[in-house]
Amino acid sequence: MTKEDTASRLKTAAHWYAELREPDADHRTWDAFRAWEGSDPANRAAFRQVEASLSVLEGSSLAAPGAGTGYDSSDTYTADRKPRRARLYWLTGIAAVLMLAVVSVVTLNPPAAPAVQVYATAIGDTRDVTLEDGSHVTLNTDTELAVTYSRSERRIQLAHGQALFSVMKGTRPFIVAAGGSETRALGTRFEVYRGPDDVSVTLVEGSVSVLPERAGQGEPETRLGGARAGTVLVPGDRLVLRGGAIQSLSQVDTSEALAWQTGILQFRDVTLAEAVTELNRYSDTKIRVDDPALAAEHLSGAFPAGDQEMFAETLKLFLPVEIRRRGNEILVEPAGGA
């Protein structure tokens, strides 16, 4: 509620307080008051606040002349009492003072910001986390995210890395923000990977809406009812975004996409360069392929995440390569300098 809303509600409450204290208040006045009070719990709270404060003031030296002591007062008002309008002005002015007091308290003691929980994994590690609403998150290697739950939403900020979300249904939207995109869900299972250059969202179950900062590939931004509309995914969809714009939407095998949970990386017709980039996420030992032609070779297979030595040795079964080790690097080169 804004300051203006608070001031307006207290002013109306003060007006009703004055109306009900007038000797000529009849059943129609009371019926109208009860309709206003019952239309919103905040109205009732505002009236009680005015009632409690003004009932104290009316018994003090600050009271307006002619003030009574309650709704049912049968006191006889003298001819020299202030006009009714003056009484209303007095009560309304007191309500304004109350409003300033309320606003001052809110300003000096603002509501505490929602607590932020940060979760992270080191290179080669994974971690399972159960959130306060029962939702479940599995963090993959070298991942960091921050969780903030407020009254209006459940928000995850993915700083880097990859996480699988199993969202508990609820009335508040579950939002994962990453690299200029927001993925919204109420009850579903999906994965978000934020890499150095792009963000990918893979839907496993249910439905999510992915909202990029801007429409991709030169297409106009989609709007529904004047509001920005996201891309709705179906199970098996993988949406890739770069620079806040949609790059591609494709279907993937979700069992292969989530194989990292078992410690296995599944590759299907990817380049050696792509496979190496993925493998290097799981180990401090980095594989290097400097030869462009070799890096462009395609491969498929399943490999243990983080076992760089095994991958390098396995490559020799499929490609004419030589393996050299230098510190924390494994160099993969064409055999015989070819």
Side-chain angles (χ1 to χ4, degrees):
M1 186 183 299
T2 66
K3 296 178 183 179
E4 292 76 12
D5 290 337
T6 302
S8 177
R9 201 179 297 272
L10 285 171
K11 183 176 180 179
T12 303
H15 175 84
W16 279 117
Y17 185 88
E19 288 282 356
L20 297 175
R21 302 241 349 201
E22 291 300 323
D24 59 351
D26 57 16
H27 69 88
R28 288 186 297 271
T29 302
W30 278 94
D31 288 344
F33 163 71
R34 291 192 180 100
W36 171 82
E37 184 187 40
S39 65
D40 190 333
N43 290 347
R44 184 179 299 108
F47 186 84
R48 298 295 175 244
Q49 184 179 0
V50 169
E51 179 185 33
S53 300
L54 295 185
S55 62
V56 172
L57 288 174
E58 287 185 329
S60 73
S61 60
L62 297 176
T69 57
Y71 299 154
D72 301 323
S73 175
S74 58
D75 296 346
T76 301
Y77 283 68
T78 61
D80 63 347
R81 67 178 175 87
K82 279 187 178 280
R84 175 173 174 170
R85 179 169 296 181
R87 179 181 176 81
L88 285 172
Y89 284 162
W90 175 78
L91 288 169
T92 302
I94 292 297
V97 173
L98 289 173
M99 182 275 294
L100 290 174
V102 170
V103 171
S104 297
V105 170
V106 172
T107 302
L108 294 174
N109 301 284
V116 179
Q117 297 289 332
V118 178
Y119 303 97
T121 54
I123 293 176
D125 291 339
T126 60
R127 182 180 180 183
D128 291 325
V129 176
T130 299
L131 304 182
E132 66 179 58
D133 69 330
S135 296
H136 188 80
V137 183
T138 301
L139 288 73
N140 198 3
T141 177
D142 191 22
T143 295
E144 180 180 334
L145 55 81
V147 180
T148 307
Y149 276 21
S150 67
R151 292 182 178 180
S152 59
E153 65 180 17
R154 300 169 286 174
R155 176 170 288 268
I156 314 294
Q157 184 69 50
L158 181 60
H160 59 83
Q162 186 175 24
L164 175 65
F165 302 92
S166 297
V167 181
M168 184 69 70
K169 290 184 178 180
T171 56
R172 295 173 296 172
F174 189 99
I175 302 171
V176 179
S181 69
E182 286 190 352
T183 301
R184 293 172 174 260
L186 286 177
T188 188
R189 190 164 181 248
F190 63 98
E191 175 198 85
V192 180
Y193 170 44
R194 181 174 184 177
D197 302 315
D198 53 32
V199 174
S200 67
V201 180
T202 304
L203 180 62
V204 182
E205 298 174 4
S207 178
V208 297
S209 174
V210 183
L211 185 68
E213 286 184 342
R214 56 190 174 87
Q217 303 170 346
E219 297 178 0
E221 184 180 275
T222 304
R223 289 182 176 268
L224 290 177
R228 296 177 65 199
T231 300
V232 178
L233 306 187
V234 298
D237 275 353
R238 171 172 288 169
L239 184 68
V240 179
L241 307 100
R242 177 169 296 182
I246 295 175
Q247 295 297 302
S248 65
L249 176 61
S250 61
Q251 273 276 315
V252 299
D253 185 328
T254 56
S255 62
E256 291 184 3
L258 300 181
W260 56 264
Q261 294 181 93
T262 65
I264 299 296
L265 301 181
Q266 298 252 10
F267 300 122
R268 183 187 295 272
D269 193 29
V270 300
T271 65
L272 178 57
E274 291 171 332
V276 165
T277 298
E278 182 66 10
L279 283 158
N280 283 344
R281 294 174 54 208
Y282 295 83
S283 176
D284 290 320
T285 299
K286 306 302 181 184
I287 300 174
R288 275 183 52 188
V289 183
D290 295 332
D291 184 83
L294 181 58
E297 292 284 352
H298 282 244
L299 60 85
S300 297
F303 304 91
D307 195 336
Q308 309 293 69
E309 294 282 350
M310 176 176 289
F311 178 78
E313 291 298 324
T314 303
L315 274 182
K316 294 194 294 186
L317 301 177
F318 300 99
L319 297 171
V321 296
E322 293 179 351
I323 306 300
R324 292 197 299 119
R325 292 162 183 80
R326 186 173 62 191
N328 286 333
E329 289 185 334
I330 297 176
L331 306 180
V332 180
E333 301 172 329

